[in-house]
Amino acid sequence: MPADNPAIARIYQDQSRQVMATLIRLLGSFELAEEAMQEAFAAAVRQWPGEGIPENPVAWLIRTGHRKGIDHIRRGQTARRYAHLVGEQEEGADCDDWQAIEDDQLRLLFVCCHPALSLDARVALTLREMCGLTTEQVARALLQKPTTLAQRIVRAKKKIREARIPYEVPEPRQLPERLPGVLRVIYLVFNEGYSRSDGESVTDMSLSDEAIRLAENLAHLLPEGEVFGLLALMLLHDSRRGAREDENGNLVTLEEQDRSLWNRSQIDRGLKWLEQALPLTPASPYTLQASIAAVHARAGDSNETDWRRISRLYAALYRQHPSPVVALNHAVAVAMCDGPEAGLALLDGLVGNKEILSYHLFHAARADLLRRAGDVDASAHAYQRALALATQTPERRFLERRLRELSFPV
């Protein structure tokens, strides 16, 4: 926004979401808060170059934005729409309550991820309001039309207003019910960035970066074992980002990745968060998945991977979260320990599940194990099925390459 002033641009980049979250609490409206924040930064661009940046720029921006918001409430149709807020605001809200301001981002996150909203709306609203992406950026990230995405966000805000969803952090007794939904949204954002469901590239760095940033903020504001586990998981997965595609944009499997390209700093950070998660939530799904990622991170190359431990961890994860995808990953780990036939036997047990049969990675995994077992015809048939279901261009190129290696037409 204030691109011509680097100092103000930096404050906008680092602090605008904090200012926005507090203005939503003070003004009681997403729309008013957004407009008031933009006007506050516009005032900063005009005044700070001559007067100097205030000692506490966030407090200045919140106070200025709050005054701008009150001015909007007093004017025209806005006054009629928000008349119930005017008297309350004119009594003088405390813009310097730093504990409240610190908690505002947490309040906003729980509102954006409220279970009364659809999951798609929660993801879109979180990216728009918590991560500060424009509507166009969110639409591009989620592979949607900007007009469709904008309508979804408007409807979500209307639902929040009409349902009177409280702008608050849930009480401790409510956290076990509410926190998993927040973590699910963050992880969905990460997964869409880490492994695109569609499109020309494997990753979208902006989405995975935003998800990690959100989780880091949440870990400091709400130190819970599940939060630590999710943050560890995302950092350990994201550490492989630079090795997952070659210079031509082709997918590189975990087994074939150049591990010198893995981000050791991220691995160290992820392992530290995992150390904090394990005593608190050793059997939570995110901590178990982070523990699996840690086994890969600690292995010098694919031959050193402790697949027996990974197999046990997936078995424990399945007991906590019995999904067909977890069962698929457990089967692959068993195959790496006990041979492809053992893994295929477990995969055969999933064939009756309609969900897994429409999942391209099930057929790709089965194809790979059949290839390792020497059944070329069955492997090619499974690769063809995976190719028919895959939508991501690098994955499709990978599957086509495997078919050519088996001397089968694509």
Side-chain angles (χ1 to χ4, degrees), residues 31-113:
E31 293 81 2
L32 269 176
E34 177 74 29
E35 194 162 351
M37 183 189 73
Q38 297 297 339
E39 290 193 11
F41 272 98
V45 170
R46 291 193 303 271
Q47 295 176 224
W48 289 1
E51 299 175 2
I53 294 176
E55 183 177 343
N56 192 329
V58 172
W60 188 99
L61 289 162
I62 291 171
R63 281 193 294 270
T64 302
H66 185 229
R67 287 196 299 270
K68 299 288 186 183
I70 297 302
D71 289 344
H72 277 287
I73 290 173
R74 290 182 180 134
R75 289 199 296 264
Q77 292 184 351
T78 306
R80 290 191 292 276
R81 183 177 179 185
Y82 297 105
H84 64 289
L85 297 175
V86 176
E88 174 186 331
Q89 297 297 342
E90 284 183 330
E91 291 176 4
D94 187 354
C95 299
D96 295 308
D97 182 347
W98 285 101
Q99 184 56 57
I101 290 171
E102 281 290 314
D103 290 343
D104 281 334
Q105 283 190 299
L106 200 52
R107 292 185 180 95
L108 181 56
L109 181 58
F110 274 94
V111 169
C112 290
C113 299

Coordinates of all heavy atoms in Angstrom, one line a residue, residues 31-113:
E31 N -16.2 -4.3 7.5 CA -16.1 -3.3 6.4 C -15.6 -2.0 7.0 O -14.7 -1.4 6.4 CB -17.5 -3.2 5.8 CG -17.9 -4.4 5.0 CD -18.6 -5.4 5.9 OE1 -18.7 -5.2 7.1 OE2 -19.0 -6.5 5.4
L32 N -16.1 -1.6 8.1 CA -15.7 -0.3 8.7 C -14.2 -0.4 9.1 O -13.5 0.6 8.9 CB -16.5 0.0 9.9 CG -17.8 0.9 9.7 CD1 -18.5 1.0 11.1 CD2 -17.5 2.2 9.2
A33 N -13.8 -1.5 9.7 CA -12.5 -1.6 10.1 C -11.5 -1.6 8.9 O -10.4 -1.0 9.0 CB -12.3 -2.9 10.9
E34 N -11.9 -2.2 7.8 CA -11.0 -2.2 6.6 C -10.8 -0.8 6.1 O -9.7 -0.4 5.8 CB -11.6 -3.1 5.6 CG -10.9 -3.1 4.3 CD -9.6 -4.0 4.3 OE1 -9.5 -4.9 5.1 OE2 -8.7 -3.6 3.6
E35 N -11.9 -0.1 6.0 CA -11.8 1.3 5.5 C -11.1 2.2 6.4 O -10.2 3.0 6.0 CB -13.3 1.8 5.3 CG -13.3 3.1 4.4 CD -14.7 3.4 3.8 OE1 -15.6 2.5 4.0 OE2 -14.8 4.5 3.3
A36 N -11.3 2.0 7.8 CA -10.7 2.9 8.8 C -9.2 2.6 8.8 O -8.3 3.5 8.9 CB -11.3 2.6 10.1
M37 N -8.8 1.3 8.6 CA -7.3 1.0 8.6 C -6.7 1.6 7.4 O -5.5 2.2 7.5 CB -7.1 -0.5 8.6 CG -5.7 -0.9 8.6 SD -5.4 -2.7 8.3 CE -5.7 -2.8 6.6
Q38 N -7.3 1.5 6.2 CA -6.7 2.1 5.0 C -6.5 3.6 5.2 O -5.5 4.2 4.8 CB -7.5 1.8 3.8 CG -7.7 0.3 3.5 CD -6.3 -0.3 3.1 OE1 -5.4 0.4 2.7 NE2 -6.2 -1.6 3.2
E39 N -7.5 4.3 5.8 CA -7.4 5.7 6.0 C -6.4 6.1 7.0 O -5.7 7.1 6.9 CB -8.8 6.3 6.4 CG -9.8 6.2 5.3 CD -11.1 7.0 5.6 OE1 -11.0 7.8 6.6 OE2 -12.1 6.9 4.9
A40 N -6.2 5.2 8.0 CA -5.1 5.4 9.0 C -3.8 5.4 8.4 O -2.9 6.2 8.7 CB -5.3 4.4 10.2
F41 N -3.5 4.4 7.5 CA -2.2 4.3 6.9 C -2.1 5.5 5.9 O -0.9 6.0 5.7 CB -2.1 3.0 6.2 CG -1.5 1.9 7.0 CD1 -2.3 1.0 7.7 CD2 -0.2 1.8 7.3 CE1 -1.8 0.0 8.5 CE2 0.4 0.8 8.1 CZ -0.5 -0.1 8.7
A42 N -3.2 5.9 5.2 CA -3.1 7.0 4.3 C -2.7 8.3 5.1 O -1.8 9.1 4.7 CB -4.4 7.3 3.6
A43 N -3.2 8.4 6.3 CA -2.8 9.6 7.2 C -1.3 9.5 7.6 O -0.6 10.5 7.7 CB -3.7 9.6 8.4
A44 N -0.9 8.2 7.9 CA 0.5 8.0 8.2 C 1.4 8.4 7.1 O 2.5 9.1 7.3 CB 0.7 6.6 8.6
V45 N 1.0 8.1 5.8 CA 1.9 8.5 4.7 C 2.0 10.0 4.6 O 3.0 10.5 4.2 CB 1.2 7.9 3.4 CG1 1.9 8.4 2.2 CG2 1.4 6.3 3.4
R46 N 0.9 10.7 4.9 CA 0.9 12.1 4.8 C 1.7 12.8 6.0 O 2.4 13.7 5.8 CB -0.5 12.7 4.9 CG -1.4 12.4 3.6 CD -2.6 13.2 3.6 NE -3.5 13.0 4.8 CZ -4.4 12.0 4.9 NH1 -4.6 11.2 3.8 NH2 -5.1 11.9 6.0
Q47 N 1.6 12.2 7.2 CA 2.1 12.9 8.4 C 3.5 12.5 8.8 O 4.3 13.3 9.2 CB 1.1 12.7 9.5 CG -0.2 13.4 9.3 CD -1.3 13.2 10.4 OE1 -2.4 12.9 10.2 NE2 -0.8 13.2 11.7
W48 N 3.7 11.2 8.7 CA 5.0 10.7 9.3 C 6.3 11.2 8.7 O 7.2 11.4 9.4 CB 4.9 9.1 9.3 CG 4.0 8.6 10.3 CD1 3.1 9.3 11.1 CD2 3.7 7.2 10.6 NE1 2.4 8.4 11.9 CE2 2.7 7.1 11.6 CE3 4.2 6.0 10.1 CZ2 2.2 5.9 12.1 CZ3 3.7 4.8 10.6 CH2 2.8 4.8 11.6
P49 N 6.3 11.3 7.3 CA 7.5 11.8 6.8 C 8.0 13.2 7.3 O 9.2 13.4 7.5 CB 7.2 12.0 5.3 CG 6.2 10.9 5.0 CD 5.3 11.0 6.3
G50 N 7.0 14.0 7.7 CA 7.4 15.3 8.3 C 7.5 15.3 9.8 O 8.4 15.9 10.4
E51 N 6.6 14.5 10.4 CA 6.6 14.5 11.9 C 7.5 13.4 12.5 O 7.8 13.5 13.7 CB 5.2 14.3 12.4 CG 4.2 15.4 12.0 CD 2.8 15.1 12.3 OE1 2.6 14.0 13.0 OE2 1.9 15.9 12.0
G52 N 7.9 12.4 11.7 CA 8.6 11.3 12.2 C 7.7 10.1 12.6 O 6.5 10.4 13.0
I53 N 8.2 8.9 12.5 CA 7.3 7.8 12.9 C 7.2 7.8 14.4 O 8.1 7.9 15.2 CB 8.0 6.5 12.5 CG1 8.1 6.4 10.9 CG2 7.3 5.2 13.0 CD1 8.8 5.2 10.3
P54 N 5.9 7.6 14.9 CA 5.7 7.6 16.4 C 6.4 6.5 17.1 O 6.8 5.5 16.5 CB 4.2 7.4 16.5 CG 3.6 7.7 15.1 CD 4.7 7.4 14.1
E55 N 6.6 6.7 18.4 CA 7.3 5.7 19.2 C 6.6 4.4 19.1 O 7.2 3.3 19.1 CB 7.5 6.2 20.6 CG 8.3 5.3 21.5 CD 8.4 5.8 22.9 OE1 8.2 7.0 23.1 OE2 8.8 5.0 23.8
N56 N 5.3 4.5 19.1 CA 4.4 3.3 19.0 C 3.5 3.4 17.8 O 2.4 3.8 17.9 CB 3.6 3.0 20.3 CG 3.0 1.7 20.3 OD1 2.6 1.1 19.3 ND2 2.8 1.1 21.6
P57 N 4.0 3.0 16.6 CA 3.2 3.2 15.4 C 1.9 2.5 15.4 O 0.9 2.9 14.9 CB 4.1 2.8 14.3 CG 5.1 1.9 14.9 CD 5.3 2.4 16.3
V58 N 1.8 1.3 16.0 CA 0.6 0.5 16.0 C -0.5 1.2 16.8 O -1.6 1.3 16.4 CB 0.9 -0.9 16.6 CG1 -0.5 -1.7 16.8 CG2 1.8 -1.7 15.7
A59 N -0.1 1.7 18.0 CA -1.1 2.5 18.8 C -1.6 3.7 18.1 O -2.8 4.0 18.1 CB -0.5 2.9 20.1
W60 N -0.7 4.4 17.4 CA -1.1 5.6 16.6 C -2.1 5.2 15.5 O -3.1 5.9 15.3 CB 0.2 6.2 16.0 CG 0.0 7.5 15.3 CD1 0.2 8.8 15.8 CD2 -0.5 7.8 14.0 NE1 -0.1 9.8 14.9 CE2 -0.5 9.2 13.8 CE3 -0.9 7.0 12.9 CZ2 -0.9 9.8 12.6 CZ3 -1.3 7.5 11.7 CH2 -1.3 8.9 11.6
L61 N -1.8 4.1 14.8 CA -2.7 3.7 13.7 C -4.0 3.2 14.2 O -5.1 3.5 13.6 CB -2.0 2.5 12.9 CG -0.8 2.9 12.1 CD1 0.1 1.7 11.7 CD2 -1.2 3.7 10.8
I62 N -4.0 2.5 15.4 CA -5.3 2.1 16.0 C -6.1 3.3 16.4 O -7.3 3.4 16.1 CB -5.1 1.2 17.1 CG1 -4.5 -0.2 16.6 CG2 -6.4 0.9 17.9 CD1 -4.0 -1.1 17.7
R63 N -5.5 4.3 17.1 CA -6.3 5.5 17.5 C -6.8 6.3 16.3 O -7.9 6.7 16.3 CB -5.4 6.4 18.4 CG -5.3 5.9 19.8 CD -4.7 6.9 20.7 NE -3.3 7.2 20.3 CZ -2.2 6.6 20.9 NH1 -2.4 5.7 21.8 NH2 -1.0 6.9 20.5
T64 N -5.9 6.4 15.3 CA -6.3 7.2 14.1 C -7.4 6.4 13.4 O -8.5 7.0 12.9 CB -5.1 7.4 13.2 OG1 -4.1 8.1 13.9 CG2 -5.5 8.2 11.9
G65 N -7.3 5.1 13.2 CA -8.3 4.3 12.5 C -9.6 4.3 13.3 O -10.7 4.4 12.7
H66 N -9.5 4.3 14.6 CA -10.7 4.3 15.4 C -11.5 5.6 15.2 O -12.7 5.7 15.0 CB -10.4 4.1 16.9 CG -11.5 4.0 17.8 ND1 -11.7 4.8 18.9 CD2 -12.7 3.3 17.7 CE1 -12.8 4.5 19.5 NE2 -13.4 3.6 18.8
R67 N -10.8 6.8 15.2 CA -11.4 8.1 14.9 C -12.0 8.1 13.5 O -13.1 8.6 13.4 CB -10.4 9.2 15.1 CG -10.0 9.5 16.6 CD -9.3 10.8 16.7 NE -8.1 10.9 15.9 CZ -6.9 10.6 16.4 NH1 -6.8 10.1 17.6 NH2 -5.8 10.7 15.6
K68 N -11.3 7.6 12.6 CA -11.8 7.6 11.2 C -13.1 6.7 11.1 O -14.1 7.1 10.5 CB -10.8 7.0 10.2 CG -9.5 7.8 10.1 CD -9.7 9.1 9.4 CE -8.3 9.8 9.2 NZ -8.4 11.1 8.6
G69 N -13.1 5.6 11.9 CA -14.3 4.8 11.9 C -15.5 5.4 12.5 O -16.6 5.3 12.0
I70 N -15.3 6.2 13.6 CA -16.3 6.9 14.2 C -16.9 8.0 13.3 O -18.1 8.2 13.2 CB -15.9 7.6 15.5 CG1 -15.4 6.5 16.5 CG2 -16.9 8.4 16.1 CD1 -16.5 5.5 16.9
D71 N -16.0 8.6 12.5 CA -16.4 9.6 11.6 C -17.3 9.0 10.5 O -18.3 9.6 10.1 CB -15.2 10.3 10.9 CG -14.4 11.2 11.8 OD1 -15.0 11.6 12.9 OD2 -13.3 11.5 11.5
H72 N -17.0 7.8 10.1 CA -17.8 7.1 9.1 C -19.2 6.7 9.7 O -20.2 6.8 9.0 CB -17.1 5.8 8.6 CG -16.1 6.0 7.5 ND1 -16.5 6.3 6.3 CD2 -14.8 6.0 7.6 CE1 -15.4 6.5 5.5 NE2 -14.3 6.3 6.3
I73 N -19.2 6.3 10.9 CA -20.4 5.9 11.6 C -21.4 7.1 11.6 O -22.6 7.0 11.5 CB -20.2 5.4 13.0 CG1 -19.5 4.0 12.9 CG2 -21.5 5.3 13.8 CD1 -19.1 3.4 14.2
R74 N -20.8 8.3 11.8 CA -21.7 9.5 12.0 C -22.2 10.0 10.7 O -23.2 10.8 10.7 CB -20.8 10.7 12.6 CG -20.4 10.4 14.1 CD -19.6 11.6 14.5 NE -19.3 11.5 15.9 CZ -18.0 11.7 16.4 NH1 -17.1 12.1 15.6 NH2 -17.8 11.5 17.7
R75 N -21.7 9.6 9.5 CA -22.1 10.1 8.3 C -23.2 9.3 7.6 O -23.2 8.1 7.5 CB -20.9 10.2 7.3 CG -19.9 11.3 7.8 CD -19.0 11.7 6.6 NE -18.1 10.6 6.2 CZ -16.9 10.4 6.6 NH1 -16.3 11.2 7.4 NH2 -16.2 9.3 6.1
G76 N -24.1 10.0 7.0 CA -25.1 9.5 6.0 C -25.7 8.2 6.4 O -26.1 7.9 7.5
Q77 N -25.8 7.3 5.4 CA -26.4 6.0 5.6 C -25.7 5.2 6.6 O -26.2 4.3 7.3 CB -26.6 5.3 4.2 CG -27.5 5.9 3.3 CD -27.7 5.1 2.0 OE1 -26.9 4.2 1.8 NE2 -28.6 5.5 1.2
T78 N -24.4 5.4 6.6 CA -23.5 4.6 7.5 C -24.0 4.9 9.0 O -24.0 4.0 9.8 CB -22.0 5.0 7.4 OG1 -21.7 4.9 6.0 CG2 -21.2 4.1 8.3
A79 N -24.4 6.1 9.2 CA -24.8 6.5 10.6 C -26.1 5.7 10.9 O -26.3 5.2 12.1 CB -25.1 8.0 10.7
R80 N -27.0 5.6 10.0 CA -28.2 4.8 10.2 C -28.0 3.4 10.4 O -28.5 2.7 11.3 CB -29.2 5.1 9.1 CG -29.8 6.5 9.1 CD -31.0 6.6 8.1 NE -30.6 6.4 6.7 CZ -30.1 7.4 6.0 NH1 -30.0 8.6 6.5 NH2 -29.8 7.2 4.7
R81 N -27.0 2.8 9.6 CA -26.8 1.4 9.7 C -26.1 1.0 11.0 O -26.3 0.0 11.6 CB -25.9 1.0 8.5 CG -25.6 -0.5 8.4 CD -24.8 -0.8 7.2 NE -24.5 -2.3 7.1 CZ -23.7 -2.8 6.2 NH1 -23.2 -2.1 5.2 NH2 -23.5 -4.1 6.2
Y82 N -25.2 1.9 11.4 CA -24.4 1.6 12.6 C -24.7 2.5 13.8 O -23.9 2.8 14.7 CB -22.9 1.7 12.3 CG -22.4 0.7 11.3 CD1 -22.1 1.2 10.0 CD2 -22.3 -0.6 11.6 CE1 -21.7 0.2 9.0 CE2 -21.9 -1.5 10.7 CZ -21.6 -1.1 9.4 OH -21.2 -2.0 8.4
A83 N -26.0 3.1 13.8 CA -26.3 4.0 14.9 C -26.2 3.4 16.3 O -25.8 4.1 17.2 CB -27.8 4.5 14.6
H84 N -26.4 2.1 16.4 CA -26.3 1.5 17.7 C -24.9 1.5 18.2 O -24.7 1.3 19.4 CB -26.8 0.0 17.6 CG -26.0 -0.8 16.7 ND1 -26.0 -0.7 15.3 CD2 -25.2 -1.8 17.0 CE1 -25.2 -1.6 14.8 NE2 -24.7 -2.3 15.8
L85 N -23.9 1.8 17.4 CA -22.5 1.7 17.8 C -22.0 3.1 18.2 O -21.0 3.2 19.0 CB -21.6 1.2 16.7 CG -21.8 -0.2 16.2 CD1 -20.9 -0.5 15.0 CD2 -21.5 -1.2 17.4
V86 N -22.7 4.2 17.8 CA -22.1 5.5 18.0 C -22.0 5.9 19.4 O -20.9 6.3 19.9 CB -23.0 6.6 17.2 CG1 -22.5 8.0 17.5 CG2 -23.0 6.3 15.7
G87 N -23.1 5.8 20.2 CA -23.0 6.1 21.6 C -21.9 5.3 22.3 O -21.1 5.8 23.1
E88 N -21.9 4.0 22.0 CA -20.9 3.1 22.7 C -19.5 3.6 22.3 O -18.6 3.6 23.2 CB -21.2 1.7 22.2 CG -20.2 0.7 22.6 CD -20.4 -0.7 21.9 OE1 -21.6 -1.0 21.6 OE2 -19.4 -1.4 21.7
Q89 N -19.2 3.9 21.1 CA -17.9 4.3 20.7 C -17.5 5.7 21.2 O -16.3 5.9 21.5 CB -17.8 4.3 19.2 CG -18.0 2.9 18.5 CD -16.9 1.9 19.0 OE1 -15.9 2.3 19.5 NE2 -17.2 0.6 18.9
E90 N -18.5 6.6 21.3 CA -18.1 7.9 21.7 C -17.8 8.0 23.2 O -17.2 8.9 23.7 CB -19.3 8.9 21.4 CG -19.4 9.2 20.0 CD -20.5 10.2 19.7 OE1 -21.5 10.2 20.4 OE2 -20.4 11.0 18.7
E91 N -18.2 6.9 23.9 CA -17.8 6.9 25.3 C -16.3 6.7 25.5 O -15.7 7.0 26.5 CB -18.5 5.7 26.0 CG -20.0 5.9 26.2 CD -20.7 4.7 26.8 OE1 -19.9 3.8 27.1 OE2 -21.9 4.7 26.9
G92 N -15.6 6.3 24.4 CA -14.2 6.3 24.4 C -13.6 4.9 24.7 O -13.4 4.5 25.8
A93 N -13.4 4.1 23.6 CA -12.8 2.8 23.7 C -11.3 2.9 24.1 O -10.7 3.9 23.7 CB -13.0 2.0 22.4
D94 N -10.9 2.0 24.8 CA -9.5 2.0 25.2 C -8.6 1.4 24.1 O -8.6 0.2 23.8 CB -9.3 1.1 26.5 CG -7.9 1.3 27.0 OD1 -7.0 1.9 26.4 OD2 -7.6 0.7 28.1
C95 N -7.9 2.3 23.4 CA -7.0 1.9 22.3 C -5.6 1.5 22.8 O -4.7 1.3 21.9 CB -6.9 3.0 21.2 SG -8.5 3.5 20.5
D96 N -5.4 1.6 24.0 CA -4.0 1.3 24.6 C -4.0 0.1 25.5 O -3.1 -0.1 26.3 CB -3.5 2.6 25.3 CG -3.3 3.7 24.4 OD1 -2.6 3.5 23.4 OD2 -3.8 4.8 24.7
D97 N -5.1 -0.7 25.5 CA -5.1 -1.9 26.3 C -4.3 -3.0 25.5 O -4.9 -3.7 24.7 CB -6.6 -2.4 26.5 CG -6.7 -3.6 27.4 OD1 -5.6 -4.2 27.6 OD2 -7.8 -3.9 27.8
W98 N -3.0 -3.1 25.8 CA -2.2 -3.9 25.0 C -2.4 -5.4 25.2 O -2.2 -6.2 24.3 CB -0.7 -3.6 25.3 CG -0.4 -2.3 24.6 CD1 -0.3 -1.1 25.2 CD2 -0.2 -2.1 23.2 NE1 -0.1 -0.1 24.2 CE2 -0.1 -0.7 23.0 CE3 -0.2 -2.9 22.1 CZ2 0.1 -0.2 21.7 CZ3 -0.1 -2.4 20.8 CH2 0.1 -1.0 20.7
Q99 N -2.9 -5.8 26.3 CA -3.3 -7.2 26.4 C -4.5 -7.5 25.5 O -4.5 -8.6 24.8 CB -3.7 -7.6 27.9 CG -4.0 -9.0 28.1 CD -2.9 -10.0 27.7 OE1 -1.7 -9.8 28.2 NE2 -3.1 -10.9 26.7
A100 N -5.5 -6.6 25.5 CA -6.6 -6.8 24.6 C -6.1 -6.8 23.1 O -6.6 -7.6 22.3 CB -7.7 -5.7 24.8
I101 N -5.2 -5.9 22.8 CA -4.7 -5.8 21.4 C -4.0 -7.0 21.0 O -4.1 -7.5 19.9 CB -3.8 -4.5 21.3 CG1 -4.7 -3.3 21.3 CG2 -3.1 -4.5 20.0 CD1 -4.0 -2.0 21.4
E102 N -3.2 -7.6 22.0 CA -2.5 -8.8 21.7 C -3.4 -10.0 21.4 O -3.2 -10.8 20.5 CB -1.6 -9.2 22.9 CG -0.3 -8.4 23.0 CD 0.7 -8.8 21.9 OE1 0.9 -10.0 21.7 OE2 1.3 -7.9 21.3
D103 N -4.6 -10.0 22.1 CA -5.5 -11.0 21.9 C -6.4 -10.9 20.7 O -7.1 -11.8 20.3 CB -6.4 -11.1 23.2 CG -5.7 -11.6 24.4 OD1 -4.6 -12.2 24.2 OD2 -6.2 -11.5 25.5
D104 N -6.4 -9.7 20.1 CA -7.3 -9.4 19.0 C -7.1 -10.3 17.8 O -8.1 -10.8 17.1 CB -7.3 -7.9 18.6 CG -8.0 -7.0 19.5 OD1 -9.0 -7.5 20.2 OD2 -7.7 -5.9 19.6
Q105 N -5.8 -10.6 17.5 CA -5.6 -11.5 16.3 C -6.1 -12.9 16.6 O -6.6 -13.6 15.7 CB -4.1 -11.5 16.0 CG -3.7 -10.3 15.2 CD -2.3 -10.4 14.7 OE1 -1.3 -10.6 15.4 NE2 -2.1 -10.3 13.4
L106 N -6.0 -13.3 17.9 CA -6.6 -14.6 18.3 C -8.1 -14.6 18.1 O -8.7 -15.6 17.6 CB -6.1 -14.9 19.7 CG -6.2 -16.4 20.2 CD1 -5.4 -17.3 19.2 CD2 -5.6 -16.5 21.6
R107 N -8.7 -13.5 18.6 CA -10.2 -13.4 18.5 C -10.6 -13.5 17.0 O -11.5 -14.2 16.6 CB -10.6 -12.1 19.0 CG -10.5 -11.9 20.5 CD -11.1 -10.6 21.0 NE -11.0 -10.4 22.4 CZ -10.0 -9.7 23.0 NH1 -9.1 -9.1 22.3 NH2 -10.0 -9.6 24.3
L108 N -9.8 -12.8 16.1 CA -10.2 -12.7 14.7 C -10.0 -14.1 14.1 O -10.9 -14.5 13.3 CB -9.3 -11.7 14.0 CG -9.6 -11.5 12.5 CD1 -11.1 -11.2 12.2 CD2 -8.7 -10.4 11.9
L109 N -9.0 -14.8 14.5 CA -8.8 -16.1 13.9 C -9.9 -17.1 14.3 O -10.4 -17.8 13.4 CB -7.4 -16.7 14.4 CG -7.1 -18.1 13.9 CD1 -7.0 -18.1 12.4 CD2 -5.7 -18.6 14.5
F110 N -10.4 -17.0 15.5 CA -11.5 -17.9 15.9 C -12.8 -17.5 15.2 O -13.6 -18.4 15.0 CB -11.6 -17.9 17.4 CG -10.7 -18.9 18.1 CD1 -9.5 -18.6 18.6 CD2 -11.1 -20.2 18.2 CE1 -8.7 -19.5 19.2 CE2 -10.3 -21.2 18.8 CZ -9.1 -20.8 19.3
V111 N -13.0 -16.2 15.0 CA -14.2 -15.8 14.2 C -14.1 -16.3 12.8 O -15.1 -16.8 12.3 CB -14.3 -14.2 14.3 CG1 -15.4 -13.8 13.3 CG2 -14.7 -13.8 15.7
C112 N -13.0 -16.1 12.1 CA -12.8 -16.5 10.7 C -13.0 -18.0 10.6 O -13.5 -18.5 9.5 CB -11.4 -16.1 10.2 SG -11.2 -14.4 9.9
C113 N -12.7 -18.8 11.6 CA -12.7 -20.3 11.6 C -13.9 -20.8 12.3 O -14.0 -22.0 12.7 CB -11.5 -20.9 12.1 SG -10.0 -20.4 11.2

